Amino acid sequence: MHGIHTIDCLYLDRPRFAAAYLIVDGDEAAFIDNNTGHAVPLLLAALKNAGLSAEQVRYLIVTHVHLDHAGGTSALRAACPNATILAHPRAARHIIDPSKLVASATRVYGEEQFERLYGVIEPIPAALVKEMGDEENLTLGQRTLTFLHTRGHANHHFCIADDKSNAVFT
């Protein structure tokens, strides 16, 4: 509907527990939230089912850097060579250098459990990450996405309003 595909990421091997979204408009695509490295095959399968290749993905959008939403970003970017990562200004540095997030979560869960939960999280070159300002607009195909800083769940969180579907991704 409106080119929006909900992808069940099977987080913690639980169906309908966590989702990512694929937006397709014409021959362009964007993912919203990338779940963990374990979900990347599911995301790429959804892209293929939509009739697009990984090279057609323009954006990987991270609502916030909690690892169940952003942990798969580096693995997904490796598979989507033309994609730019879009993030809140306070989140971008953690995508570029995730070492503090990884160290903190590893201390909490231990190395084995961390790997089971999140997979491998690699740094992403700063040139591939774009910080999105509050109320900043971006065009994807024939739609406009508006980024709204929504502090609350995290200080580095934004929502995305999609003018074509009149939907908001939180």
Side-chain angles (χ1 to χ4, degrees):
M1 185 173 210
H2 300 287
I4 299 170
H5 306 265
T6 303
I7 306 160
D8 187 344
C9 294
L10 299 174
Y11 182 59
L12 302 176
D13 296 321
R14 294 174 59 184
R16 301 180 65 176
F17 189 64
Y21 302 92
L22 171 64
I23 301 176
V24 175
D25 202 310
D27 63 353
E28 298 180 342
F31 284 102
I32 296 181
D33 283 341
N34 308 306
N35 199 260
T36 71
H38 304 303
V40 170
L42 300 169
L43 302 177
L44 294 175
L47 184 66
K48 183 177 179 182
N49 288 340
L52 296 176
S53 70
E55 290 75 22
Q56 291 173 284
V57 176
R58 284 191 59 201
Y59 303 110
L60 306 180
I61 304 170
V62 176
T63 60
H64 62 296
V65 293
H66 293 168
L67 297 180
D68 57 331
H69 290 261
T73 303
S74 63
L76 187 57
R77 175 53 176 84
C80 300
N82 299 321
T84 298
I85 293 90
L86 306 179
H88 187 287
R90 291 182 178 164
R93 64 187 169 114
H94 296 292
I95 294 167
I96 295 165
D97 179 6
S99 61
K100 288 182 183 178
L101 292 176
V102 170
S104 177
T106 301
R107 278 193 304 275
V108 170
Y109 296 111
E111 288 185 33
E112 185 176 314
Q113 181 72 344
F114 177 89
E115 168 61 30
R116 188 182 82 73
L117 290 171
Y118 304 114
V120 176
I121 300 172
E122 298 287 340
I124 295 176
L128 301 177
V129 179
K130 178 175 174 32
E131 297 178 4
M132 299 305 293
D134 188 30
E135 299 186 18
E136 187 171 350
N137 293 322
L138 183 88
T139 301
L140 177 73
Q142 298 297 311
R143 66 195 335 133
T144 299
L145 303 176
T146 302
F147 294 78
L148 306 167
H149 291 197
T150 50
R151 183 178 179 188
H153 179 66
N155 287 335
H156 58 272
H157 188 276
F158 59 45
C159 294
I160 304 100
D162 172 22
D163 75 330
K164 188 171 186 177
S165 66
N166 201 29
V168 176
F169 296 90
T170 60

